[in-house]
Amino acid sequence: MVNKEIFKPEKIQIGISSCLLGQKVRFDGGHKNSNYCNKDLAPFFDYISVCPEMAIGMGAPRKSIRQEIDGDKIFVKSADGSIDVTDKLAEFSEKRVNELNFIGGYILCAKSPTCGMERVIEYKYGTNNGTKSGVGVYARKLMETYPHLPVEEEGRLHDPLIKENFITRVYAYHEWHCLQAEGWTKHKLMQFHARYKYLLMAHSPQWYRDLGPILAQIDDLDATAQTYFEGFMTALKIKATRKNHTSTLQHIQGYFKKHLSKDQKEELTESIMKYREGLLPLLVPITLINHYLREHPTPYIEGQVYLNPHPEELRLRYAY
């Protein structure tokens, strides 16, 4: 359950590797400052900054550490073996991660033996033979503890589709936390599902069809909510395709068939088809639909998260 004393419904809190905020915490005394995190995202989120290596007292600068594999055991130590922080990092990761049940997402620094999300170098114990098959010790604990938490590496956020998917999941995850904090009821769960209908359809039509029946018969409210949430976040992790977006837009278009003139219908159809062909970004048909909603209010469609899954100022639907 989310920690209600720390959770902030009014602003999403996101965990982040300290070096990405320009803090000089890396082994060489430097940082990995991210302009995107510091300038573009910062106004919308409260950051929870963490550097596991500094937290266990290693200081900066310091000897670099790496993962070494011996059978099924992972050691975190310096290449010359003079430093071994395996136990300290495991203890810190356990404690810190369990304190973070209120966050809405996490941005990690790539390749780090503590914070890397994937492709971290694992060395065969006592050798320099390594493969990019590991996960950072702290990152692994984070993702195992919160398997549906939106987590990304900063470098991957330069991909427009990955970035939009991550931020969409962050806002959805936070809204679920808000629902959990205020106390869910069967009615609130049904309303939540109804508002996310078209976003789910764009990400996974199959999951949309599967999630509805979960809420149809509720015996144990908490168990049902958890089952629904797991499927919901699994669905949103699937990247929405141009084909699914097109189908979703056409479904929404059907609500206007009695209200729009012939020319307006043709204009909306043309914008959807040009989006499907890759000639226009998704923002164009979405903007047109929002324009028609102002002229012809339709509460059910106006309430659809699909039309505004994140702040417009983030400009996430301009690039595809």
Side-chain angles (χ1 to χ4, degrees):
M1 293 291 288
V2 63
N3 188 331
K4 297 180 182 180
E5 295 181 0
I6 304 175
F7 176 63
K8 297 180 180 179
E10 68 279 4
K11 195 165 188 180
I12 302 174
Q13 295 161 285
I14 287 185
I16 189 169
S17 296
S18 301
C19 57
L20 298 176
L21 298 180
Q23 297 177 26
K24 296 179 180 181
V25 296
R26 287 177 57 79
F27 74 95
D28 58 1
H31 57 73
K32 293 277 286 186
N33 183 64
S34 166
N35 284 330
Y36 181 67
C37 291
N38 275 308
K39 294 182 180 179
D40 294 6
L41 292 185
F44 300 92
F45 305 112
D46 280 345
Y47 287 136
I48 308 298
S49 170
V50 180
C51 175
E53 294 170 39
M54 291 292 284
I56 63 171
M58 292 189 71
R62 57 182 176 269
K63 279 190 176 182
S64 63
I65 55 176
R66 66 185 194 174
Q67 290 190 12
E68 293 190 8
I69 308 300
D70 185 13
D72 59 353
K73 294 183 178 180
I74 299 176
F75 296 89
V76 187
K77 52 194 296 188
S78 59
D80 63 8
S82 63
I83 297 174
D84 187 328
V85 292
T86 304
D87 293 339
K88 283 186 176 181
L89 277 174
E91 183 180 347
F92 169 77
S93 298
E94 175 82 22
K95 181 177 184 297
R96 188 68 179 113
V97 164
N98 286 330
E99 296 170 345
L100 296 175
N101 69 348
F102 59 92
I103 61 175
Y106 213 111
I107 302 174
L108 294 164
C109 179
K111 301 179 183 179
S112 164
T114 55
C115 294
M117 189 180 82
E118 60 183 14
R119 295 176 59 80
V120 173
I121 299 177
E122 293 180 321
Y123 293 90
K124 185 177 179 180
Y125 191 85
T127 76
N128 287 318
N129 299 324
T131 59
K132 295 180 179 179
S133 55
V135 176
V137 175
Y138 175 77
R140 184 189 300 277
K141 184 63 181 178
L142 176 75
M143 293 187 290
E144 287 177 350
T145 304
Y146 310 113
H148 301 292
L149 177 74
V151 177
E152 268 299 348
E153 288 183 339
E154 187 274 341
R156 285 167 49 90
L157 296 180
H158 296 290
D159 180 305
L161 291 179
I162 291 176
K163 177 168 59 180
E164 201 272 340
N165 179 269
F166 171 69
I167 299 298
T168 295
R169 287 186 291 132
V170 166
Y171 275 88
Y173 195 92
H174 178 72
E175 184 171 348
W176 181 264
H177 268 175
C178 290
L179 180 62
Q180 184 183 41
E182 70 182 31
W184 45 50
T185 63
K186 180 177 180 179
H187 178 65
K188 288 180 180 178
L189 289 175
M190 295 295 289
Q191 283 186 317
F192 182 92
H193 181 63
R195 291 183 60 248
Y196 276 91
K197 171 181 178 178
Y198 288 115
L199 188 64
L200 286 167
M201 189 180 293
H203 284 260
S204 174
Q206 184 61 55
W207 267 111
Y208 169 70
R209 290 191 292 270
D210 291 345
L211 285 170
I214 292 175
L215 301 179
Q217 292 184 335
I218 299 178
D219 296 320
D220 184 322
L221 185 60
D222 288 339
T224 299
Q226 183 60 32
T227 299
Y228 176 86
F229 172 68
E230 291 171 0
F232 174 76
M233 292 306 301
T234 299
L236 293 190
K237 196 169 185 178
I238 300 170
K239 294 179 181 63
T241 64
R242 195 174 291 273
K243 176 183 177 182
N244 285 346
H245 272 306
T246 299
S247 176
T248 301
L249 291 166
Q250 289 172 330
H251 272 84
I252 294 175
Q253 183 182 24
Y255 282 85
F256 294 102
K257 60 184 179 181
K258 296 181 179 180
H259 304 291
L260 302 184
S261 67
K262 180 181 178 182
D263 288 345
Q264 288 174 324
K265 290 177 183 177
E266 290 177 353
E267 181 184 28
L268 182 53
T269 297
E270 182 182 13
S271 71
I272 294 173
M273 290 302 99
K274 284 189 175 181
Y275 162 72
R276 185 184 68 175
E277 296 164 9
L279 301 176
L280 290 176
L282 180 62
L283 180 67
V284 174
I286 291 288
T287 299
L288 196 54
I289 286 171
N290 281 323
H291 168 70
Y292 289 145
L293 278 174
R294 287 191 290 271
E295 291 186 354
H296 309 285
T298 306
Y300 179 69
I301 299 300
E302 289 177 84
Q304 287 298 313
V305 175
Y306 176 75
L307 297 177
N308 300 285
H310 33 62
E312 184 179 355
E313 293 82 359
L314 285 168
R315 302 170 65 87
L316 296 176
R317 284 177 161 174
Y318 286 60
Y320 72 96

